[in-house]
Amino acid sequence: MATVETVLSSIFSTVPELHSGQLGLLSGVLIGVIYWHGYRQSSLALLTAFYLLALGIVPASTRGLTVIQSKPWYFCSFLILASLVAVGGRAVRTRLSPSNRTRSLEVGQKDV
């Protein structure tokens, strides 16, 4: 039977890879929360900044970025994945909301 430990060890071979992936996931969730609250341009700018920092294109102090820059593949992939899920969820929610409001208004008018 597969445990969480065996699954994680099959995906990530070292601890920095795991931490880099976790930081990417948390950063993507942060970008998603900012996007959901209506700061779309700011969240996309933050996504770009995180991505460029992880790749080392934008210079920054390496003290806090050593884990991310050691394995940027995991950070960037989880960052993009979590951000796309959040933005896609927002798009689906806004697309479904107007139709639900229209249906509830039609049902309410028929009852009168």
Side-chain angles (χ1 to χ4, degrees), residues 3-4 11 15 25 65 72 82 93 98 105:
T3 63
V4 174
I11 297 172
V15 173
L25 185 66
L65 295 174
R93 182 175 175 219
L105 288 174

Side-chain angles (χ1 to χ4, degrees), residues 25-86:
L25 185 66
L26 289 174
S27 300
V29 168
L30 173 69
I31 290 169
V33 167
I34 292 171
Y35 189 88
W36 273 65
H37 284 286
Y39 300 103
R40 289 173 179 84
Q41 291 178 345
S42 300
S43 65
L44 295 177
L46 188 62
L47 172 67
T48 305
F50 279 155
Y51 195 83
L52 294 176
L53 279 171
L55 294 178
I57 296 172
V58 176
S61 78
T62 57
R63 194 164 127 192
L65 295 174
T66 54
V67 172
I68 294 170
Q69 288 180 347
S70 67
K71 301 291 181 177
W73 167 253
Y74 293 99
F75 178 82
C76 293
S77 60
F78 280 108
L79 173 71
I80 296 295
L81 180 70
S83 299
L84 286 177
V85 166

